[in-house]
Amino acid sequence: MVLTACRAATMLGEKEAYSLIDDAALVLESGRIAWVGAQSDLPAQYGAYMVHDMGGRLITPALIDCHTHVVHGGNRAAEFEMRLQGATYEEVARAGGGIISTVTATRKASQEALVAAALPFVDAMIAEGVSVIEIKSGYGLEADTELRMLRAARAIGTKRPVLVRTSYLAAHAIPPEYKGRADAYVDEVCIPTLRVAHAQGLVDAVDGFCEGIAFSPAQMERIFVVAKELDLPIKLHAEQLSNLGGAALAARYGAMSADHLEYLDEAGVKAMAAAGTVAVILPGAFYTLRETQMPPIDLLRQHGVAMAVATDMNPGSSPMSSLLLAMNMACTLFRMTPAEALAGATIHAARALGLTDRGTLAPGQAADLAVWACDHPAELAYRIGFNPLHQRIIGGAL
Ligand code: DI6
Ligand code: FE
């Protein structure tokens, strides 16, 4: 088909630019973009294709949420109340709440229950034009539940028109039965379960939480060595609450992304730049935890590190399922530009997941598009709590 009478933000420009084409046309063929350009230049060979007049609307690549924990049991509204009374995220975690309380609920949940609990949030993402969702494990912390979470994530990709990419995050917290024995947990649970999950085709990437309340760089490195052996790409929650040099460690292992990064220093930025590691900016967690330390956006820009933006959707530090709101927060809280925010939810989010055939409007890319009732792409990050999506086009189908 040919889409005509639209404004196309191709996201292909040098630096972070929308690369807008006014009066654009796009040709979609066999689930891919075959051609994009000014409508007046549309090649005659597409003359017989079915034409859809887009009524002057804005078209962008479909959005990509490259960091979520959307599969989990229960919720943490009670912890929200505790934190409002002054308890910090770390205090709640050390008191056995936080991630561990979600682990208790997730261990009790069947695969079907996990899928059913996640779908309303997945549907909210889809309703905002999302076509790819990364989903992490990490609330099982024992083999059966980690595998069940990954299967639930894969099942979501069959129940909804969305591409799911999974990340194995057993190194998310130390479970109560291994309290004070993090090394034993890494050796006896994280690594063996990674091998099993990989053998079952459940893992697209390996992630971890490198933090004082979680795993040290040395412990993460042992998991990364196994990830390399299995030829799996890595990602890391790094420098969220303190600076342990996690981003530089991840970069040394060629990480696709390092995520959060509030406490990242210039050495870490340089290491990421040299390795081509994407910085995943997660303003929902910054906002929820009332963090005051901002990620070093200017340094990331100066060193040419690509920045993605994601929801971090999870029941504790970021109970937010709106990627448009994450884009707004990235601008308002971190002074990213609306163009950087949109690039962060399209081209750079794709790169943070190792996807080369998504995130831009160019020939050969998957025909996953979002059509917006907007004049200009800056409106996507500008509004708060309003969804201007007109329609999604997935795999070339309206
Ligand atoms: N950092 C986060 O923000 C999430 N995980 C992580 O390592 C929080 C997960 C949670 O609080 O349940
Ligand atoms: Fe996270």
Side-chain angles (χ1 to χ4, degrees), residues 96-319:
I99 291 174
I100 294 303
S101 74
T102 299
V103 169
T104 306
T106 304
R107 286 179 176 181
K108 287 186 191 140
S110 66
Q111 181 182 319
E112 292 68 34
L114 291 173
V115 171
L119 282 179
F121 301 114
V122 169
D123 287 339
M125 292 167 176
I126 289 171
E128 286 190 345
V130 169
S131 70
V132 180
I133 304 177
E134 185 261 12
I135 303 179
K136 302 175 193 298
S137 69
Y139 291 120
L141 313 185
E142 46 87 16
D144 284 354
T145 310
E146 286 294 311
L147 296 170
R148 195 161 71 254
M149 287 185 73
L150 294 168
R151 282 192 210 106
R154 287 274 191 253
I156 287 167
T158 66
K159 286 181 189 294
R160 290 294 187 270
V162 81
L163 178 67
V164 169
R165 302 295 286 176
T166 58
S167 297
Y168 175 78
L169 179 61
H172 193 197
I174 295 136
E177 61 273 21
Y178 279 94
K179 198 164 193 229
R181 297 189 298 131
D183 280 309
Y185 172 68
V186 169
D187 290 333
E188 294 168 18
V189 179
C190 291
I191 291 175
T193 308
L194 171 57
R195 293 184 188 282
V196 174
H198 171 65
Q200 297 183 7
L202 293 172
V203 184
D204 298 324
V206 176
D207 197 348
F209 187 22
C210 189
E211 191 57 63
I213 55 170
F215 297 89
S216 67
Q219 288 159 346
M220 280 317 312
E221 185 159 10
R222 287 199 285 127
I223 297 169
F224 289 165
V225 167
V226 178
K228 284 279 131 193
E229 177 202 317
L230 299 176
D231 212 14
L232 287 169
I234 66 158
K235 315 168 73 66
L236 189 64
H237 290 66
E239 274 73 84
Q240 179 184 5
L241 308 171
S242 62
N243 182 4
L244 298 185
L249 166 71
R252 261 200 285 129
Y253 280 81
M256 296 194 294
S257 73
D259 304 39
H260 286 288
L261 305 173
E262 277 81 345
Y263 290 83
L264 181 67
D265 60 19
E266 187 159 14
V269 173
K270 284 183 176 161
M272 289 175 66
T277 299
V278 176
V280 178
I281 303 298
L282 301 167
F286 175 95
Y287 167 85
T288 301
L289 302 182
R290 303 175 67 111
E291 178 61 71
T292 52
Q293 171 86 19
M294 301 233 281
I297 301 292
D298 272 335
L299 281 176
L300 292 165
R301 275 191 196 114
Q302 278 165 33
H303 291 279
V305 176
M307 293 183 281
V309 174
T311 61
D312 194 17
M313 197 290 167
N314 76 66
S317 69
S318 189

